[in-house]
Amino acid sequence: DDAQRPTLALASWPAGVKVGQPLPALSVSAMARCYRQCSRRLILLGLDGTLIQQEKVIAYLKNFQDFQGHSLSPPPAALHCLRALAADPLNTVYVISGRSALDMEACLGDIEGLGLAAELGFLQMAPQRGSRKWTQRELTGEQACWRQLARPVLEEFARRTNGAYIRWLDSAALWCYQNADPDFGRFQAGKLTAALRTKFTDAGVTVCHSPVKGQVEVRIAGVNKGVVADDVFCSVAATAPVDFVLAIGDDDEDEFMLSAVTARAASAPMRGSIRDCLYTVTVGHKAASHAQYTVEHSREVLRLLEMLRDGRGD
């Protein structure tokens, strides 16, 4: 059974696993002890599947689609942890998500000092306190017309697929089929993906199909969680050496973040300050990951955030 197979390492770690070996479970107590000993800490977190159970996110989307104006919010316990961790002057805390800026603000915008990156980092809100605004990445000339090219194809497939609908973001369009017949929805998603990839050859746009999320995504190329994670890491380190990094995510998009954080931490300027206080963590089972450690479920993410908040190491 694939679900019982361990997640394998995509990178080798000094005094740790080698490429192709099973990843170990995170020792939350060891991580918490390291956290308490450090004074310049960076925490990067995914949202859906990391702070919120993925199955609850999917159920919410199936029931409400866009009628609420935003997706499911993290549970109150997670919000409390984020508020406390972001208020600590020794911490820089970011939540990085594929959600829209409006959605991120509705769920997390009232947490003082929390950095937000929406649409996989296409839009970013720095964690400074007081009045804040979103900054947007610039588009190339060829990317500027992506929406006009994508719209007729997406709308045609939405008309052909009962229950499918389109969500438009600043940097992406999502063709969602959670409410369609599962088999026909997957079949149509495959055809749509092929049609879009043909249309967007050499157009600075990527197309991907996620059966788990029940959606086909058209997105501006070069936008991913790894780019924004690296930007944040460098920005924080520019003012003082970072000596603790915790990055947690659950899906393929989070792999970009985990890989980028690992590469930056291993660079010559960072290696000395971080030493053994780099923790990259993947949530749930997958075939392989760039992370150092695994946790089984988002419930364990909440537990470790509570330990950090409370200063515990048990």
Side-chain angles (χ1 to χ4, degrees), residues 234-287:
C234 292
S235 175
V236 174
T239 56
V242 175
D243 57 4
F244 175 92
V245 179
L246 172 64
I248 313 177
D250 74 294
D251 63 12
D252 289 346
E253 293 295 344
D254 292 306
E255 289 296 317
F256 289 99
M257 173 180 72
L258 299 174
S259 177
V261 167
T262 300
R264 182 59 61 184
S267 65
M270 308 286 187
R271 220 169 23 233
S273 63
I274 294 175
R275 300 182 308 278
D276 297 323
C277 289
L278 169 66
Y279 291 89
T280 54
V281 184
T282 187
V283 183
H285 169 80
K286 51 189 61 66

Side-chain angles (χ1 to χ4, degrees), residues 130-147:
S131 178
R132 299 195 292 167
K133 64 179 183 178
W134 292 96
T135 58
Q136 178 180 307
R137 203 189 104 166
E138 292 185 8
L139 300 180
T140 64
E142 63 183 7
Q143 291 171 334
C145 62
W146 74 272
R147 192 180 295 262

Side-chain angles (χ1 to χ4, degrees), residues 18 23 38 113 119 125 149 165 178 181 197 226 253 267 298:
K18 306 302 180 188
L23 289 178
C38 295
E119 300 193 24
M125 183 181 285
L149 293 173
Y165 62 96
Q178 298 97 346
D181 174 82
R197 285 177 176 164
E253 293 295 344
S267 65
S298 57

